[in-house]
Structure formats: C-alpha cells, structure tokens
DNA sequence: ACATAAGTGTAGCCACGGCTTCATTTCGGC
DNA sequence: GCCGAAATGAAGCCGTGGCTACACTTATGT
C-alpha cells in the first residue's frame, strides 16, 4: 500500500469530483439500493405469510410454536412477526388460538409460493443443483421484480417446449 | 371464511401433527431461513465494501459523504457502516480522513463485483431487460451461493460458445 | 377435579441500520 | 491569519428482528 494513503492532500485527483454529468449518471444508484432495502423489509412478512399458509394447508391452522419451529426462531420472535402481519392486515388471530390469514394474506402467500417455485425452476433450468436452488431461492426470490419473474416464466416456457417444435434452423 | 376459524377444538385434524418422519423432512427448513438471514446480514458489508472500492478506483479515496450519497443514506449511516467494516477488518480510516480497504476488504469487493456482473449477465441471458437486471441483481446477488455462481458461469460460457460449435457433441 | 405439561403472551435486552441534531475538524477564500 | 462553509464525528431516537426469562392460559392425564 502507499506510504500515507490517508492523507487527502495527495489523494483525490480533483476535489470537485466531476459533478457535471457524473451526478445524474450515479443518480440511479441510491435508488437501486433503496429498492433492495425495501425488498429486504418485505422479506420477513412474505416468508411468515407463506409459512402460515403452508401450516394451514397441512394442519388447518397455524400455531406460533410451529411457525417458530419451521422458521428456525424462538416463539416470541414468531409472535412478533404475527403481530406485524396483523398490523398489516395479512393475518388474524385471537389470544391462545391459532393464526389465520386474511384474504389479502392468503393472496400474498400464494404469490410468494408461486414466485418461489418459478425461481427454483429457473435456477434448476440453468444448471443449479436442486438442493442448492432451494437454498438460494429462499433469499433471492424476494428481490425478483415482476418484470424479472415474467422473464423467468417466459424462459421456462420456452425451454419447456419441445426443442424441434419451433426452432428456425434445422440443427 | 368458516364460522369460527379461531377455535382450535374444531380445527386441527390431529394434535400430534405427524411427528414421525415429517420432523426430519422439515428439519432443513430452519436452516434455509437461517442461511438467508445470514446472507442478508452480510449484505450491507458487501455493498459498502464494493462501493468504497469503486470510489477508490475513481477518486483515489472514499469519503463518507460520497459513500452516503451513492448508497442513498445520510452520512452518519455511512459512518456507522464504515465502523463495522473496520471492526471486521475490511477497511481502515483515520478521523477526518478518507476510508480505504484492507487487502481482505479489497478481495471481498472484487468478489462482490464479479458476482454482481455474473448475476446481471445471467439475468440478461434468460431474457431480463438490462435495466431490470441491474436493479434485481442488487438484492439477489447476496444470496447466490458459490455453487449457484459456478452454475451461472458455466451456463454463460455454454451459451456464449457458438451454437454450431459443439451442438452434436463433436469436439 | 386437579396437577402438570405444553403452548402462548409479555417484558426487556441486544445489535443493526436507518434517521436527526449538534459539536468538531478540515478546507478554502478573503 | 482568520472566518465561514463543508465534511466528519458523536450522541441519541426509532423500528426491526433476533434472544432470554418469566407469567399466564390451555390442554392433558390421572
């Protein structure tokens, strides 16, 4: 490393940092990160909603303990998450009773589940081992926009079609 | 909705919930979420490290204000992030001076940048518009495991090769 | 019917990652 | 050389999402 890299006087080529033009060039950058942050914030709600949907499908209701167990958290954490779901109008519950999803919550859970499947399928389609695909999709899915999701679906549909059906060239 | 969906007495088909077999079937579930959480925790460090690397490449140093501006956060937030980077041994800095990356930090930034490019390339390859790919990759990349990354690279290499070159397993 | 176990709720702690506000330092012009 | 502006640092607030510890309710078994 340089002798004194921390001395600004010799570091920056220009103090004004090319503010003309470079500013709007990097104007989209914060937006990207803000979108990523927003997606991350929605992640937990989406995961819990989907999980509750799964449990209801399996057992007819979702219990805090089961949610906590499957999410790998303690039960107070699950309780807090459920409280947030309630606040957002995604779930309903009564003290010491099971947790259920509102229509909105169910719709969300359905969308999340479908998206998850699509992401896993795409990963597998491009050569990711099934197990790894499941793992990675869990985190990735929350950042997949509608546009990207549709692109995935199109791609999967395309490669799903028999190769000889519509290939322009004989190959 | 049912008359009284919150009444457990009529809800669960069986209280014991098929603990035989189902337990180990869902044993991997918490792990999935834990991995996703861990990835999310590393997200900020990775993003800041890459950003600092970019700024150093551009200006010879990274300043808190610039980092904050590009990340779309206020400067105290950037300062805190830098503090964490320092704690993790990824960056060095002196009060009122620029921020620089350690060798480890630089290595991390390089890996992150390469991974980002690969993810964007793959998204584009399967039909995602370039701009959307940039957006979505920002969040997705942090959840791409080594295995998946290599699968992406293989896939890109494969489709990069001229379609007629090895179509019939000639070479 | 009651005791105990299991499930649930509540309170309070911590770290993180945003934020605002204010103090301090450095930089730059006069 | 000094003074103001810009940059940085430090303190403190808030919401989130983990956790532990403890209280309470429900369920279960004898």
């Amino acid at each position: 490393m340089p002798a004194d890299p921390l001395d600004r006087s010799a570091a920056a080529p220009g103090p004004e940092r090319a503010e003309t033009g470079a500013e709007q060039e990097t104007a989209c950058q914060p937006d990207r990160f803000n979108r990523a942050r927003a997606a991350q914030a929605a992640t937990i709600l989406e995961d819990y909603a989907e999980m509750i949907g799964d449990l209801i499908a399996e057992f007819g209701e979702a219990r805090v303990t089961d949610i906590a167990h499957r999410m790998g958290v303690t039960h107070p954490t699950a309780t807090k998450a459920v409280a947030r779901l309630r606040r957002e109008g995604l779930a309903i519950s009564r003290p010491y009773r099971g947790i259920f999803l509102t229509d909105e919550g169910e719709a969300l859970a359905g969308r999340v589940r479908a998206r998850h499947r699509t992401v896993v399928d795409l990963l597998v389609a491009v050569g990711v081992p099934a197990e790894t695909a499941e793992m990675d999709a869990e985190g990735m899915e929350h950042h997949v926009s509608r546009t990207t999701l549709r692109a995935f679906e199109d791609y999967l549909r395309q490669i799903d079609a028999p190769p000889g059906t519509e290939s322009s060239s004989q190959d």
Side-chain angles (χ1 to χ4, degrees), chain A residues 3-151:
Chain A
D4 194 353
L6 300 174
D7 188 1
R8 165 165 318 145
S9 56
E16 49 278 347
R17 286 172 156 66
E19 277 169 355
T20 9
E23 190 162 337
Q24 50 179 336
E25 187 184 355
T26 58
C28 57
Q29 287 259 101
D31 214 61
R32 281 224 316 258
F33 290 107
N34 282 324
R35 280 177 122 264
R37 277 191 285 270
Q40 143 58 16
T43 291
I44 275 79
L45 273 302
E46 290 178 354
D47 281 340
Y48 278 96
E50 185 185 4
M51 181 60 71
I52 291 171
D54 287 349
L55 287 168
I56 290 175
E58 278 186 62
F59 305 124
E61 68 167 359
R63 301 188 313 174
V64 171
T65 306
D66 294 335
I67 298 170
H69 184 241
R70 291 224 184 159
M71 295 294 292
V73 299
T74 56
H75 84 267
T77 300
T79 300
K80 274 209 222 176
V82 169
R84 286 220 303 153
L85 286 171
R86 290 187 47 142
R87 249 199 296 133
E88 304 285 333
L90 297 169
I92 49 175
S93 66
R94 284 191 325 197
Y96 297 99
R97 290 286 173 252
I99 295 111
F100 298 88
L101 294 175
T102 62
D103 290 351
E104 196 186 343
E106 224 154 335
L108 173 64
R111 284 197 305 274
V112 172
R113 195 184 339 270
R115 189 182 57 187
H116 180 82
R117 249 180 36 84
T118 300
V119 173
V120 171
D121 287 351
L122 182 114
L123 289 177
V124 170
V126 300
V128 177
E131 265 188 51
T132 307
E134 273 293 340
M135 284 274 200
D136 291 12
E138 192 57 60
M140 295 173 65
E141 53 176 324
H142 303 283
H143 299 273
V144 173
S145 64
R146 268 189 55 78
T147 301
T148 296
L149 189 62
R150 291 210 27 201

Side-chain angles (χ1 to χ4, degrees), chain A residues 156-169:
Chain A
L156 288 168
R157 210 173 0 252
Q158 168 203 321
I159 65 166
D160 189 32
T165 304
E166 36 60 65
S167 66
S168 52
S169 59

